[in-house]
Amino acid sequence: PASLAAPVLATAAFDETATRLVLRFAPSDQPTDRAGMVGLAPCAAILDAATLALARGAAAADPQCFWRDDGATMEVHLARSTGLGPGVRVGVRAGVLRPAAA
C-alpha cells in the first residue's frame, strides 16, 4: 500500500552492558522486512561500509545482527574491540530496508 513509509533509522544507543548497539527504525509501529535477515545474521546486510568497519574494530569477523520481534528494532552484537562509541555516526545501506507489508 502507498500509505507505508520507508523505514528510517530513528535512534542508535548502546544497551546497559555496552555489548550491543540497539537501532530503532521509524515509524516504530510499522515492522520492516528486516532486509531479508533471519535470526542472527551478518550486519553487512544492513549497515553501511563505514559503520560496519567501525563495529568490527580489530575483530577478525564482521558483527552479527538480530532483529527483535517488533521488526523495527535491531541489535548489533559488538566485539570488545569495536570502534563504535558515543557520538559516532551510524549508517545503514540505502534501499535494503522496506516496510514488511510492501
Side-chain angles (χ1 to χ4, degrees):
S3 62
L4 295 177
V8 294
L9 181 59
T11 63
F14 291 98
D15 71 355
E16 52 281 342
T17 64
T19 59
R20 292 184 193 121
L21 184 67
V22 180
L23 307 181
R24 289 187 174 85
F25 293 85
S28 60
D29 62 344
Q30 173 184 289
T32 71
D33 67 353
R34 303 175 187 209
M37 298 166 66
V38 178
L40 195 61
C43 295
I46 192 160
L47 297 180
D48 67 16
T51 303
L52 189 65
L54 281 172
R56 182 177 52 247
D62 285 342
Q64 297 286 299
C65 285
F66 179 80
W67 284 91
R68 292 185 183 171
D69 289 341
D70 66 4
T73 308
M74 186 183 81
E75 298 176 358
V76 180
H77 295 232
L78 301 170
R80 287 180 185 240
S81 64
T82 186
L84 290 176
V88 170
R89 180 198 160 278
V90 174
V92 295
R93 294 178 51 210
V96 299
L97 195 60
R98 297 172 196 57

